[in-house]
Amino acid sequence: MTRGWKIATGAVALAVLGGVWAALVARHSRKGPITLMGAVIRQDADTGQEAPIADVGINVADGLAAASTQSDFSGFFRLPLRPEVRRGRAITLQFRHPGYQPLDLHVLAGDELYIARLTPRNPEAKASPAPASVVVSDVLVRYSVESNTVVSIGTGVKTFQVVNTGNVPCVQDSPCSPDGKWKAAVGSASLDAGAGNVFGNPRVSCIAGPCPFTKIDSEELSQNGRTLKVTARAWSDTATFLLQAEVFHSAVSNTVRLSYPVIFGRALNFSLPAAAQGPSLDATLSGVPIVFPLPPNALLSWAECKVSMEKDRSKLYRCELKPGYRFP
């Protein structure tokens, strides 16, 4: 192999390596700045007690975060890093909440899901509540849901005739038989279901006269379902028709529903459907049954509640007992 050939081969190899490196750099730059995602939960040996923690302040030491953030109702957080922070760099995530011990989490910047488990500041108070605490028991969720009830209240009935003389040839501008041969007559009838009512299962049929030589031209039900109109045609002698339809009445009623919240530690959890109205909590405090309405901000004298609106507009509640209260 000549010296010139070696130089040419080396140049080609360098060009290929350079192209690969440029592609890797371009691919990295296309990804853009790193955004960390994770969740904050309560530290507990029982995984069923690891409740999400909301409103936890989250930052990165040494000012490496593009902006600080807070965990939401589900404990989720999204934290953007500064553009100069590359994947694989060692960073320190800082988690701060007044009710929990501070946590510094040493991780590598990247696409992992970062889970922070915070320890309550007073775990012993949770384990052994003071004897003088108010006991909250028999907690029940009560709400109502509107429902439409449709009831059949009768049948609308009407007869009508289409008067005609058979075997008369059809002339211009006159109703005719479908084949255009015989003179025909057209008649109509209508029914009104009354205010607040609607028709269902409408039907019309010929019941007397030369029915084989009749035809139903149209059957129209109004948009609100209250009125029904039919038109019929006869091209022989007079025919009689019967118009019928069921009448239904729609009424709105409130149905009261009950559900039991799930209690984990000092927190109770429950959800309400989007259609729930007038929600309340029935609870017994130190032997006295009391009803506590649930306003939109879910303020209770004995618990601190947080509410999350789900995509289907249902609501998820998490209520944690205030100091001085305990479950049995």
Side-chain angles (χ1 to χ4, degrees):
M1 181 181 292
T2 65
R3 183 172 180 273
W5 176 257
K6 291 180 179 179
I7 292 174
T9 304
V12 171
L14 288 174
V16 172
L17 289 174
V20 172
W21 175 256
L24 290 174
V25 171
R27 181 181 177 187
H28 183 274
S29 61
R30 281 197 302 269
K31 287 186 176 180
I34 303 171
T35 297
L36 305 182
M37 291 189 295
V40 188
I41 59 179
R42 177 184 295 161
Q43 174 67 48
D44 201 294
D46 181 0
T47 56
Q49 304 288 342
E50 291 184 322
I53 307 175
D55 303 326
V56 177
I58 306 164
N59 212 331
V60 180
D62 302 322
L64 298 180
S68 61
T69 188
Q70 284 191 332
S71 58
D72 66 10
F73 177 87
S74 66
F76 173 78
F77 69 87
R78 186 191 302 270
L79 183 64
L81 301 182
R82 296 179 65 85
E84 62 267 23
V85 180
R86 300 300 181 189
R87 283 171 174 75
R89 176 171 176 173
I91 60 173
T92 301
L93 283 173
Q94 300 172 327
F95 299 87
R96 302 292 185 266
H97 188 286
Y100 295 83
Q101 297 179 13
L103 174 65
D104 289 343
L105 201 60
H106 304 289
V107 299
L108 298 179
D111 300 324
E112 296 181 12
L113 300 178
Y114 300 91
I115 308 301
R117 291 176 169 82
L118 303 190
T119 303
R121 288 188 180 275
N122 300 307
E124 67 281 352
K126 172 187 171 184
S128 54
S133 296
V134 176
V135 177
V136 180
S137 61
D138 303 324
V139 184
L140 184 67
V141 183
R142 184 188 304 270
Y143 61 95
S144 64
V145 176
E146 278 191 357
S147 58
N148 287 322
T149 304
V150 179
V151 181
S152 176
I153 60 174
T155 303
V157 180
K158 193 170 192 177
T159 60
F160 66 98
Q161 286 188 325
V162 178
V163 179
N164 192 55
T165 301
N167 296 317
V168 177
C170 184
V171 296
Q172 189 177 6
D173 299 329
S174 296
C176 299
S177 59
D179 59 7
K181 183 177 180 180
W182 304 109
K183 171 185 170 298
V186 175
S188 63
S190 61
L191 288 172
D192 188 331
N197 301 327
V198 296
F199 282 119
N201 305 317
R203 52 204 181 273
V204 59
S205 55
C206 179
I207 59 173
C211 292
F213 307 109
T214 64
K215 176 178 176 291
I216 306 302
D217 281 349
S218 65
E219 184 178 315
E220 300 175 2
L221 187 63
S222 64
Q223 286 188 347
N224 60 8
R226 174 175 171 174
T227 59
L228 174 63
K229 181 179 180 180
V230 296
T231 302
R233 179 183 302 253
W235 56 91
S236 182
D237 292 336
T238 299
T240 304
F241 296 84
L242 172 65
L243 172 61
Q244 285 183 291
E246 272 76 43
V247 181
F248 297 93
H249 182 74
S250 179
V252 178
S253 59
N254 283 321
T255 303
V256 176
R257 297 183 179 177
L258 306 175
S259 67
Y260 292 90
V262 175
I263 297 176
F264 282 116
R266 291 179 57 80
L268 56 86
N269 303 265
F270 61 94
S271 62
L272 294 176
Q277 297 181 353
S280 65
L281 281 177
D282 296 4
T284 300
L285 272 62
S286 293
V288 180
I290 305 175
V291 177
F292 299 90
L294 274 177
N297 54 9
L299 289 176
L300 295 173
S301 60
W302 48 275
E304 182 177 348
C305 297
K306 293 187 180 298
V307 187
S308 173
M309 180 78 75
E310 304 299 297
K311 290 183 179 180
D312 60 357
R313 302 196 63 80
S314 62
K315 293 181 179 179
L316 178 61
Y317 290 77
R318 184 182 302 116
C319 299
E320 188 156 353
L321 291 178
K322 293 180 179 180
Y325 296 87
R326 66 181 177 86
F327 292 120

